[in-house]
């Protein structure tokens, strides 16, 4: 993902969207979004027991 896409994904995630919803909006998979945000140092929200 480009730095612009990572910034956009970070903003959407910070606004409360789930990783899956961010991925759907951006045409990427949940795992791609998760990896990119983790790499960028974004703190992940609690999954409430979900893996």
């Amino acid at each position: 993902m480009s730095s612009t896409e990572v910034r956009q994904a970070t903003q959407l995630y910070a606004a409360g969207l789930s990783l899956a919803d961010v991925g759907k909006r951006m045409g990427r998979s949940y795992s791609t979004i998760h990896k990119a945000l983790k790499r960028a140092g974004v703190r992940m929200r609690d999954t409430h027991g979900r893996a």
Side-chain angles (χ1 to χ4, degrees):
M1 291 178 63
S2 71
S3 59
T4 301
E5 289 175 311
V6 173
R7 265 194 313 276
Q8 181 183 8
T10 300
Q11 290 171 344
L12 291 170
Y13 185 70
L17 272 68
S18 69
L19 292 171
D21 288 338
V22 172
K24 286 176 191 171
R25 281 199 182 191
M26 299 187 69
R28 303 283 186 146
S29 71
Y30 155 90
S31 61
T32 298
I33 299 298
H34 184 258
K35 288 175 191 172
L37 294 186
K38 289 282 277 189
R39 231 179 279 125
V42 174
R43 187 167 183 234
M44 298 289 110
R45 292 190 298 263
D46 184 6
T47 59
H48 305 286
R50 295 184 299 267

